Amino acid sequence: MLTGAGISAESGIRTFRASDGLWEEHRIEDVATPEGYAADPALVHAFYDERRRAARAAEPNAAHRALAELAERVPGEVLIVTQNIDDLHERAGSSRVIHIHGELGSALCEACGRRMPWTQDLAGRPPCRACGERVLRPDVVWFGEAVYALDEIFDAVALCEEFWVVGTSGAVTPAASLVAVAAEAGARTALLNLEAHDDVRLFDEVVLGPATETVPAFAAGISRQRDGVGGRG
Ligand code: BJW
């Protein structure tokens, strides 16, 4: 499944494209491109340091927990590809999580290329633990940069039986293209989102509502199906 900012919204983490979203206060070009970082690293560090603190203060919600519980009931069968850089899926108990756009809990050294777990602010330009250079950046994927683990993700999606898209506007590729891969492979596809996308033709099912309500209900339907007590209806 693919998750986006909407699944963490009810944990108090802001989405990007809502009227009160992050892009209302910040120009995408300034804080989410390599060019913006090169022009004003202090601004970009402040943006991500603040989001790292907000994510740390947040707690997983019922949607994160429902996916973790589903994975426990069908071991090895649930893979979460998340566009989110928070760690709420992991803190809810999910272990098979791929962060396609990177993680707040990781820093990337521009000198030696190493990625390392990181919990502190980066604004003070701390040294890389490996090479000592003070050129650590947030380990996140900005526009124009290659996303993480795309081959692994494509391979998994091409083999999946169910593909759920939860809490994302579907505005950013390649993540938004994954549903086409799943549909092409014959998977049953579902969109669980607060609002419908402009084009939902690739989805077999569209379930509108807050993720804390739709995801637990949808996951319960899958569990019932697995237990042989009827489908989702
Ligand atoms: C709820 C809810 C509730 C609310 N319950 N639901 C032209 C020029 C240059 C590039 C391109 C171009 N055309 C296309 C591209 C490619 C580009 C792209 O997609 N651009 C589009 C914007 C046009 N993509 C890229 O550049 C990617 N890289 C790439 O393509 O590389 C090619 C390459 C290959 C090889 C070598 C080099 C390059 C990279 C994309 C990186 C995106 N990065 C960001 C920032 C990451 C770090 C961070 O978090 O700050 O990722 S942008 C931002 O958008 C973030 C998100 O992960 C991503 C998606 O947002 P998301 O999650 O969908 O959030 P929202 O806010 O949009 O939607 C929330 C949804 O939830 C809404 O629908 C609500 O209704 C819903 N919701 N509350 C359920 N309670």
Side-chain angles (χ1 to χ4, degrees):
M1 74 188 63
L2 173 71
T3 68
I7 197 167
S8 294
E10 290 165 86
S11 292
I13 295 185
R14 293 166 72 185
T15 66
F16 295 92
R17 295 170 180 83
S19 57
D20 60 349
L22 291 165
W23 295 160
E24 282 298 304
E25 282 173 20
H26 301 274
R27 284 176 6 117
I28 296 176
E29 303 79 20
D30 291 343
V31 294
T33 63
E35 295 78 15
Y37 180 59
D40 192 347
L43 172 78
V44 177
H45 280 309
F47 178 67
Y48 283 97
D49 285 347
E50 164 59 28
R51 290 179 59 200
R52 191 180 299 103
R53 287 192 287 267
R56 200 180 300 137
E59 294 295 334
N61 64 45
H64 299 106
R65 288 195 298 272
L67 296 183
E69 284 158 16
L70 178 67
E72 262 180 37
R73 285 198 293 274
V74 289
E77 291 189 44
V78 176
L79 173 68
I80 298 173
V81 176
T82 187
Q83 298 170 88
N84 299 342
I85 60 177
D86 65 56
D87 63 352
L88 295 182
H89 282 303
E90 289 90 339
R91 284 204 271 138
S94 288
S95 53
R96 295 185 71 215
V97 184
I98 299 178
H99 288 267
I100 186 171
H101 292 160
E103 294 178 67
L104 280 167
S106 177
L108 171 65
C109 178
E110 293 197 293
C112 71
R114 286 199 178 80
R115 306 173 71 187
M116 59 204 80
W118 202 269
T119 55
Q120 305 303 313
D121 287 359
L122 288 170
R125 311 312 296 262
C128 170
R129 289 194 205 104
C131 73
E133 293 292 328
R134 294 179 180 273
V135 285
L136 291 175
R137 58 163 272 186
D139 188 7
V140 301
V141 179
W142 290 319
F143 287 107
E145 296 184 320
V147 301
Y148 282 117
L150 193 57
D151 289 346
E152 183 187 348
I153 292 168
F154 271 129
D155 288 350
V157 173
L159 291 173
C160 73
E161 291 172 15
E162 299 252 350
F163 187 75
W164 306 359
V165 173
V166 182
T168 173
S169 58
V172 173
T173 60
S177 313
L178 294 175
V179 64
V181 177
E184 173 70 19
R188 185 177 186 186
T189 57
L191 173 67
L192 286 76
N193 209 43
L194 203 53
E195 58 206 1
H197 293 176
D198 289 343
D199 183 355
V200 291
R201 277 174 299 180
L202 289 170
F203 292 101
D204 298 316
E205 292 176 64
V206 176
V207 183
L208 300 183
T212 54
E213 294 175 15
T214 58
V215 174
F218 208 74
I222 293 284
S223 292
R224 279 199 302 275
Q225 231 175 16
R226 294 287 176 135
D227 295 343
V229 287
R232 285 198 301 276

